[in-house]
Amino acid sequence: TMLTAISMSAIATNGVVPAGGSYYMISRSLGPEFGGAVGLCFYLGTTFAGSMYILGTIEILLTYIVPQAAIFRAERKEEVVDALLNNMRVYGTCCLILMAIVVFVGVRYVNKLALVFLACVILSILAIYAGVIKSIFEPPDFPVCMLGNRTLQNHGFDKCLKTEVIDNLTVTTKLWSVFCDGPDLNATCNEYFVNNNLTLVQGIPGLTSGVISENMWSEYGPLGMLVENKKLSSFGGSDPTKDIYLPYVVNDITTFFTLLVGIYFPSVTGIMAGSNRSGDLRDAQKSIPIGTILAIATTSFIYISSVVLFGACIEGVLLRDKFGDSVEGNLVIGTLSWPSPWVIVIGSFFSCCGAGLQSLTGAPRLLQAIARDGIIPFLQVFGHGKANGEPTWALLLTAGICEIGILIASLDAVAPILSMFFLMCYLFVNLACAVQTLLRTPNWRPRFRYYHWALSFLGMSLCLAIMFISSWYYAIVAMVIAGCIYKYIEYRGAEKEWGDGIRGLSLNAARYALIRLEEAPPHTKNWRPQLLVLLNLDSDQGVKHRRLLSLTTQLKAGKGLTIVGNVLQGTYLLKDAEAKKAEQ
C-alpha cells in the first residue's frame, strides 16, 4: 500500500484530479479500456467493502451488545454458525436499507457523522494502549477453564470444578452434568473427562508475563480442531468425532497463512479515500500525497504495535478463541482495555457503521463518474441522479450488489473477494505510474518528486503476488471479469482520445521500429510487396474501378503495403475541398 500511495501521489500531482479519483487517474493514464475495467472492479470492491462493514456491525451487535435480539437460535452446537449467519442476513439487510436511506437523504449528514465515528475509533485505540499499560501493574482477572490441555466453552457452567463439598457432602457441579449422563457421582462419564484434571489459566496474564515467547509461533489448523494449550498435560482422549458435541472451543474455519492475508488485507484498503473525494479537496495535489502517506505510516504503527502487544498480554488459547466462548462470550480486547470493555464494543460498532456509510457514499459516485464518461454504453442510465447531482440510480445498484455480500453473510468469505478488486486497482495505479515515467511523455511533470518506475513495478508485482497468495481462484475470477469488461469497451465502447500512455507506447514502438528499418537495406527473406495504385475517381470523388484494389490485395496476399493515389488537376488552393473528399 505504501508503494501504491507513492505511485498514486505522482499521478495525483501531475494535474487536476476531479471526481472519480483512482478511476480518473487510471483511465487518463492507460486509456478508456483499462480505466473502465479497473474502475468497475474498484467499484465492486468498494461495494463489497460496504457489505463487509455492515456484516461487521451486525456481528458486534448480536455477539456482544444485544445477543438476546437474535431471531434464529441454535438447538445443537453444530448449528451455532448457521444460526449466526441467518441472523446476520436478516439484520444486515435491515441495516443496509437504513444506511442507503441516510446516504439518499444527503451526503452532508454522512460527512458530519464521519467526525463522530473517527472520535470513537481514536478513543478505542487509546483505551487499548491504556489497558496494556495497566496490565503491567494490575492484570485483569479473566480465568479460562481447561480440561487437560483443551479449552472449555464457559456457557453451561459457573464453576471450573468436577465436584464440590457443600455441608460436608460431595456434590457434582453443572460441568459434571455436561460430560456425564447424570448428576450422580456414579454416573457414566466421558473418558477424557475422567482421566484429566480441570485447571484455571489466566486469560490475560499481562505485558510482563512472558507469554509472547509462546505466542510468537503459528498455530494453524483445520476446521473443528480443538484449541489446546501444549504446556498442560493431557491423558488419553475420546473419539474426536464425538468431541464436537462437547463444550470444547474449536476452530470455526480452516486456518493457514495465505487465508489470513486475504482476511487481513481489507483493513489496509482505505488508501484511495483521499483520491476518491479529490473533487472536494481545496488543494488535492498537496493534500493527497501528505495525507495518504502519513495515514499509512500511522495505521501501520498502530496495527503492528497492537499485534505485538496482544501477543505479549493474552494467553494463546484465548487469542485463538474467536468468539470468546471460553470467557462467557466477552470481547477479549474489550476486557484488556481500560476503563471499560464497552469503549471497544461501541468504538468498533461505530467504526464499522462509519466505514459502511463511507463505502455507500463513495461507490455510487465512482459508478456515476464511469457512466458520465460514456465508455460503457449500458451504464449510461447510472450517470443521472437528483437535481443536485446526487447519484440516485447508482445508489440503488450499489445497494443491490451490497445485498449479495450480505446474503453470503460470512465475513471470512466476503473479505477475500474485496481484496481481489482492491489489489487489481492498486496494481493498475502502479502500472500507470511506471508507464508514464518510462515513456517520459511531455505532460508528465508531477509535483511529487519521490517516485521511481522501479518502485511502481515492485508495487505492481507485490499486488499480483498477494492476489494469488490470498486466493488464486478469486484472483482468476477477478481477472476474467476485468478482461470481459476490457473487451466489451474495446468492441462496443465510445472511442475516447485522452492522450493515454498505451497510445503513447504504440507511437514510441512504431517510431523505434521505423528508425531501425532505416539502418540497413532489408534482406531478401524479409521482402514484402509494396504496390502503388493510381485510381481514377468519378465526378462525386468516388472510386471508379474498385476491382483494382481486389487485384492488388490478391497480388500481395494480404501482406506488405498498398499505397493508393489519385491526381486532381488544378491548384491546391482551389481544389482543397475536393482533395479532402478524394482522400476519404
Side-chain angles (χ1 to χ4, degrees):
T1 51
M2 186 59 96
L3 292 169
T4 306
I6 290 168
S7 300
M8 184 181 76
S9 300
I11 300 171
T13 57
N14 189 49
V16 179
V17 181
S22 48
Y23 157 71
Y24 183 88
M25 291 181 204
I26 294 167
S27 60
R28 286 354 180 233
S29 301
L30 296 177
E33 296 88 0
F34 277 114
V38 179
L40 272 184
C41 282
F42 188 57
Y43 163 73
L44 288 172
T46 311
T47 308
F48 270 110
S51 55
M52 185 187 79
Y53 295 130
I54 290 169
L55 289 174
T57 307
I58 302 304
E59 189 174 290
I60 293 160
L61 187 75
L62 292 180
T63 313
Y64 304 112
I65 299 177
V66 276
Q68 61 273 23
I71 299 167
F72 300 92
R73 297 186 185 279
E75 297 298 323
R76 298 200 303 277
K77 188 185 168 188
E78 60 270 28
E79 293 171 1
V80 170
V81 175
D82 290 334
L84 178 67
L85 295 186
N86 285 331
N87 283 319
M88 284 167 81
R89 288 180 183 112
V90 174
Y91 279 102
T93 306
C94 299
C95 186
L96 172 64
I97 293 165
L98 272 174
M99 284 187 177
I101 291 167
V102 171
V103 174
F104 176 76
V105 168
V107 163
R108 64 178 184 277
Y109 299 114
V110 177
N111 292 342
K112 282 176 183 171
L113 284 169
L115 288 170
V116 178
F117 296 144
L118 177 65
C120 291
V121 175
I122 291 170
L123 274 174
S124 303
I125 293 165
L126 293 175
I128 290 170
Y129 286 121
V132 167
I133 294 164
K134 184 173 176 280
S135 76
I136 300 171
F137 317 106
E138 193 187 329
D141 183 31
F142 213 47
V144 175
C145 188
M146 309 288 295
L147 175 62
N149 64 359
R150 299 176 181 180
T151 317
L152 293 180
Q153 289 189 355
N154 192 354
H155 290 312
F157 61 91
D158 50 356
K159 292 176 183 171
C160 189
L161 297 167
K162 292 182 184 179
T163 58
E164 57 182 333
V165 178
I166 299 173
D167 298 331
N168 293 330
L169 278 175
T170 303
V171 292
T172 58
T173 59
K174 286 184 185 175
L175 187 57
W176 179 281
S177 304
V178 173
F179 283 91
C180 304
D181 56 11
D184 305 320
L185 283 165
N186 58 355
T188 308
C189 293
N190 176 278
E191 181 194 347
Y192 190 82
F193 181 71
V194 174
N195 291 343
N196 289 278
N197 293 325
L198 287 164
T199 43
L200 276 175
V201 174
Q202 268 305 332
I204 304 180
L207 192 62
T208 51
S209 61
V211 288
I212 193 165
S213 56
E214 296 149 31
N215 292 334
M216 199 59 89
W217 316 113
S218 57
E219 287 266 3
Y220 302 119
L223 166 71
M225 186 186 90
L226 296 165
V227 173
E228 297 176 337
N229 185 338
K230 297 287 188 288
K231 284 190 301 180
L232 298 174
S233 56
S234 172
F235 301 102
S238 50
D239 181 5
T241 54
K242 290 176 186 168
D243 286 346
I244 60 163
Y245 301 107
L246 294 169
Y248 294 123
V249 176
V250 294
N251 284 1
D252 75 319
I253 51 168
T254 302
T255 52
F256 43 93
F257 177 73
T258 54
L259 170 98
L260 294 185
V261 170
I263 292 172
Y264 172 75
F265 191 80
S267 64
V268 294
T269 52
I271 66 164
M272 293 291 183
S275 66
N276 284 350
R277 303 180 69 169
S278 48
D280 306 331
L281 296 170
R282 190 181 297 125
D283 185 357
Q285 292 194 338
K286 186 180 175 187
S287 305
I288 290 173
I290 296 171
T292 308
I293 290 167
L294 282 179
I296 292 173
T298 311
T299 47
S300 298
F301 169 76
I302 292 168
Y303 286 145
I304 293 166
S305 63
S306 296
V307 169
V308 174
L309 292 172
F310 295 159
C313 290
I314 304 168
E315 181 62 50
V317 289
L318 193 53
L319 278 178
R320 299 199 301 284
D321 177 3
K322 182 168 164 185
F323 294 110
D325 287 321
S326 60
V327 285
E328 298 175 5
N330 282 307
L331 190 63
V332 179
I333 308 307
T335 310
L336 172 65
S337 62
W338 179 87
S340 163
W342 286 103
V343 177
I344 303 298
V345 174
I346 303 293
S348 47
F349 177 79
F350 277 129
S351 83
C352 285
C353 259
L357 279 171
Q358 292 292 347
S359 298
L360 285 179
T361 309
R365 277 165 174 63
L366 185 60
L367 183 63
Q368 190 181 39
I370 298 168
R372 282 184 173 170
D373 269 345
I375 55 172
I376 304 173
F378 71 85
L379 284 182
Q380 283 184 344
V381 66
F382 299 110
H384 310 299
K386 289 197 283 191
N388 61 354
E390 290 292 314
T392 314
W393 292 109
L395 177 62
L396 280 172
L397 180 71
T398 303
I401 297 169
C402 207
E403 179 62 18
I404 296 169
I406 286 167
L407 292 176
I408 294 170
S410 169
L411 271 173
D412 302 326
V414 174
I417 299 175
L418 132 192
S419 295
M420 289 308 120
F421 290 130
F422 278 125
L423 278 164
M424 191 172 282
C425 179
Y426 297 170
L427 185 149
F428 280 101
V429 167
N430 284 309
L431 176 66
C433 181
V435 165
Q436 297 276 36
T437 309
L438 289 171
L439 279 178
R440 294 191 183 134
T441 46
N443 73 326
W444 179 246
R445 296 191 294 273
R447 272 165 54 183
F448 182 79
R449 294 272 170 226
Y450 309 101
Y451 69 94
H452 193 270
W453 63 266
L455 288 177
S456 299
F457 266 116
L458 178 62
M460 194 176 89
S461 312
L462 284 172
C463 285
L464 194 63
I466 295 175
M467 278 176 79
F468 281 93
I469 282 171
S470 59
S471 179
W472 63 268
Y473 42 90
Y474 277 147
I476 291 168
V477 169
M479 285 177 162
V480 167
I481 291 170
C484 292
I485 299 166
Y486 181 95
K487 281 293 168 194
Y488 176 80
I489 296 170
E490 203 173 49
Y491 289 125
R492 291 289 319 276
E495 272 295 311
K496 296 277 181 182
E497 182 51 74
W498 285 325
D500 55 79
I502 299 297
R503 303 272 164 101
L505 271 177
S506 308
L507 187 70
N508 266 15
R511 176 178 160 275
Y512 175 75
L514 286 169
I515 290 169
R516 286 291 302 273
L517 285 176
E518 290 282 299
E519 285 173 6
H523 193 273
T524 328
K525 284 187 280 189
N526 291 328
W527 178 82
R528 300 282 185 280
Q530 295 184 32
L531 304 170
L532 173 64
V533 184
L534 288 170
L535 286 174
N536 262 341
L537 302 182
D538 56 27
S539 55
D540 293 330
Q541 310 301 332
V543 178
K544 231 178 201 176
H545 307 293
R546 285 178 174 275
R547 295 288 180 86
L548 258 177
L549 293 172
S550 303
L551 174 66
T552 52
T553 304
Q554 287 172 330
L555 278 174
K556 66 188 182 65
K559 309 284 193 299
L561 198 65
T562 303
I563 298 167
V564 183
N566 165 252
V567 179
L568 284 177
Q569 283 188 317
T571 63
Y572 185 75
L573 289 170
L574 295 173
K575 299 266 183 165
D576 173 33
E578 285 176 55
K580 279 186 178 165
K581 197 173 177 187
E583 193 176 1
Q584 284 294 322

